[in-house]
Amino acid sequence: MSEVKVGRNDPCPCGSGKKFKKCCGRFEDLLDMNLDAFTRYNQLITAIKIKLDKYYVDKIKRIRKETQARFLRFTVDKSLPPEHEAILSDWLWFDKTDNNDQTLGSAYLAENGEYMDKSLHDTLKTLNQSYLSIYEVESYQDYHLQVRDIFQDEIHHILLKEPWEIATDKHQILLLGRLVNLEEENLFSGMVLMIDAKSSEGDFIKQHIDYLSRINNESITNLLKLNGEFLYGIFDHAYKKTLININNIQVIMAEESETQALLGYLQKDSAWILVHKLAGFNWFQPDGENRGYIRLAVGEDKILCCADVLEDIVKIDDTVDSIIGEKEAVILSNLFMSRPPALEMADIWFIVIKDQETERWLDTPHPELDDKSPRELMQDEQGCTRLIAMLDEFTKSISTKEEKELIDYMRCRVTG
């Protein structure tokens, strides 16, 4: 950091329009070095956030709604509890990047760092390097919590403001927090969320982050830093004990000998049942009750792997790998990958969409069918005739090629 002398009454170089002593220079008057370590460091962190909030107030007002929607897109209810505002703000300042791959915090440091008090400068630098992670509580002593990062398997000692009162030998506590590595102590920045893990919540979170690291080809550290909204959403599902609908659709290009080997295996294995044959594929699903949509479709030179829940995604991958070995899969759709399928794969993707929509239609009760579902009606003697008539009525009101293809697909499912 270069030594740049600015007079106390000079305009602050940060561009706020205030005098230096009332802006960036004000911090050195506020910091009391005689305070206890937690209060002193918390003052540093708070001063940074107040400064960023004031400096970027107009910009944050413009982008906050869009930013909040992005941060919440993987949560259960897509809503932000008021007490979580600090988590969103930290993510907005220190993690969310702009088109130049800069965060608000890193941009502020680049523009104004040379004019800042050293303690404030170093704290901002550390905050810029921080990210959300999950920590398992191991022990407590002398206002210090010993925690283990469940992703990096690293031990940290966190300074607390108040004594820890939860028995670490009786509870498996998981904390979602932003660890700040300061010169003398480690602190959590802002709000920390907690789960008393009783039902493998830690494994649930770790398995999903490992999966995301693999499909995004990113290290876990980069994933947490660049996509903290992933972890916040996964933690929210774990806390509310709700499975994540990943809606994974992927295709494997294979030799005919490989598809025939897989087809033969599925036809013989009682754990898989043939649902139907359509669009050049044999569509299988696991026997028994399934969680959401799950299909393994085998064509002449393609294998479609579709599942909503991570455990089922892994199950399908393991089944295919055990028969034809590990082969590269092209992901066509996935909750955590916000991009459309490649143009050359659009037709394959649409085949699955048609099958998904048809399954949803088959299981939905309709008033015009006496509140029965099409699948129920297909058990009646004249049920298929009524369904074809219903689809014919649908055809009269459709206007796009895709809608017509979907109705035709439904008609094929009804007629078998």
Side-chain angles (χ1 to χ4, degrees):
M1 184 172 65
S2 62
E3 295 291 333
V4 177
K5 299 298 183 182
V6 181
R8 301 279 292 163
N9 292 308
D10 290 342
C12 188
C14 76
S16 65
K18 299 179 181 180
K19 292 182 179 181
F20 180 65
K21 67 181 181 181
K22 296 292 187 181
C23 194
C24 292
R26 184 167 177 251
F27 175 76
E28 58 193 9
D29 297 331
L30 298 177
L31 183 61
D32 185 349
M33 299 306 293
N34 295 318
L35 294 172
D36 65 274
F38 181 90
T39 303
R40 188 170 75 252
Y41 279 123
N42 194 57
Q43 272 191 353
L44 281 162
I45 293 173
T46 301
I48 287 289
K49 294 179 181 180
I50 292 174
K51 184 61 184 172
L52 290 174
D53 199 35
K54 290 183 177 179
Y55 188 74
Y56 290 112
V57 60
D58 293 334
K59 182 172 185 178
I60 289 174
K61 284 181 180 178
R62 292 197 306 270
I63 68 173
R64 189 169 186 84
K65 184 176 181 180
E66 175 188 343
T67 297
Q68 179 170 311
R70 173 183 163 182
F71 186 68
L72 298 174
R73 57 184 170 160
F74 304 116
T75 59
V76 176
D77 302 319
K78 308 297 185 291
S79 61
L80 183 74
E83 61 272 21
H84 293 192
E85 284 283 347
I87 299 176
L88 171 62
S89 294
D90 279 4
W91 176 80
L92 172 58
W93 290 325
F94 308 121
D95 293 349
K96 181 182 178 296
T97 57
D98 58 19
N99 294 333
N100 297 316
D101 291 329
Q102 276 194 317
T103 64
L104 296 180
S106 62
Y108 184 89
L109 187 63
E111 294 169 9
N112 307 297
E114 59 184 337
Y115 307 110
M116 297 171 67
D117 172 90
K118 184 178 186 305
S119 297
L120 198 61
H121 174 282
D122 292 348
T123 301
L124 176 54
K125 182 178 179 181
T126 302
L127 282 164
N128 285 337
Q129 295 167 346
S130 67
Y131 53 85
L132 282 173
S133 193
I134 302 291
Y135 301 91
E136 181 180 358
V137 176
E138 295 196 334
S139 63
Y140 168 76
Q141 185 177 9
D142 299 330
Y143 284 84
H144 284 82
L145 203 60
Q146 179 173 303
V147 300
R148 181 182 63 86
D149 185 319
I150 69 170
F151 304 119
Q152 309 296 341
D153 198 28
E154 294 177 348
I155 301 298
H156 301 275
H157 293 84
I158 315 298
L159 178 63
L160 302 180
K161 180 180 181 180
E162 299 174 344
W164 179 263
E165 297 180 348
I166 302 175
T168 56
D169 59 337
K170 297 180 180 179
H171 300 268
Q172 184 189 13
I173 303 299
L174 297 177
L175 304 175
L176 171 70
R178 179 178 295 269
L179 180 62
V180 185
N181 297 298
L182 298 166
E183 186 177 2
E184 298 175 11
E185 298 282 2
N186 297 325
L187 269 70
F188 280 124
S189 170
M191 184 75 180
V192 177
L193 305 183
M194 182 178 75
I195 291 178
D196 189 352
K198 299 175 181 178
S199 305
S200 303
E201 287 89 347
D203 290 338
F204 176 89
I205 295 170
K206 192 172 186 306
Q207 287 164 4
H208 279 80
I209 291 296
D210 286 342
Y211 168 73
L212 291 181
S213 174
R214 186 172 71 253
I215 66 171
N216 287 281
N217 195 28
E218 281 277 9
S219 69
I220 288 180
T221 300
N222 284 344
L223 185 76
L224 297 177
K225 179 62 178 173
L226 300 175
N227 298 101
E229 68 272 25
F230 287 175
L231 182 59
Y232 181 76
I234 293 169
F235 184 90
D236 185 55
H237 279 81
Y239 179 78
K240 295 173 180 173
K241 302 185 185 307
T242 303
L243 293 174
I244 302 176
N245 183 359
I246 298 175
N247 187 24
N248 185 70
I249 301 173
Q250 61 188 40
V251 60
I252 298 173
M253 311 304 291
E255 302 291 336
E256 185 176 355
S257 59
E258 295 171 326
T259 59
Q260 287 301 309
L262 180 60
L263 181 61
Y265 170 81
L266 295 172
Q267 290 172 334
K268 294 178 182 178
D269 189 345
S270 59
W272 293 86
I273 61 172
L274 179 65
V275 181
H276 63 88
K277 299 179 181 180
L278 194 56
F281 289 88
N282 292 267
W283 299 78
F284 292 86
Q285 70 176 23
D287 191 18
E289 186 175 352
N290 292 303
R291 297 161 295 187
Y293 181 82
I294 173 171
R295 293 289 185 274
L296 182 49
V298 184
E300 183 177 344
D301 58 357
K302 300 178 186 69
I303 301 168
L304 300 177
C305 307
C306 317
D308 289 340
V309 179
L310 180 56
E311 185 177 335
D312 291 336
I313 295 172
V314 174
K315 178 178 182 178
I316 288 180
D317 288 346
D318 289 345
T319 298
V320 174
D321 291 349
S322 68
I323 304 303
I324 67 172
E326 293 189 20
K327 295 182 71 73
E328 182 179 2
V330 178
I331 296 179
L332 306 181
S333 175
N334 189 289
L335 172 69
F336 296 101
M337 298 180 70
S338 54
R339 62 172 184 261
L343 188 59
E344 63 271 18
M345 295 290 183
D347 288 345
I348 301 173
W349 169 80
F350 189 50
I351 288 174
V352 179
I353 298 303
K354 288 186 292 187
D355 197 70
Q356 287 179 327
E357 290 300 316
T358 299
E359 287 296 324
R360 188 175 294 113
W361 173 71
L362 286 172
D363 290 322
T364 301
H366 296 271
E368 55 266 57
L369 300 178
D370 306 321
D371 289 326
K372 291 183 178 180
S373 70
R375 200 182 302 276
E376 291 174 318
L377 200 65
M378 287 169 67
Q379 308 303 315
D380 297 342
E381 185 174 347
Q382 299 298 320
C384 289
T385 301
R386 288 185 65 185
L387 289 175
I388 294 299
M390 179 183 186
L391 292 173
D392 287 343
E393 284 298 312
F394 286 169
T395 304
K396 295 177 182 178
S397 61
I398 62 177
S399 57
T400 69
K401 173 177 174 290
E402 289 76 17
E403 288 175 321
K404 183 179 184 303
E405 288 186 23
L406 175 58
I407 297 300
D408 288 344
Y409 195 94
M410 290 176 172
R411 190 179 284 107
C412 289
R413 288 294 305 275
V414 170
T415 59

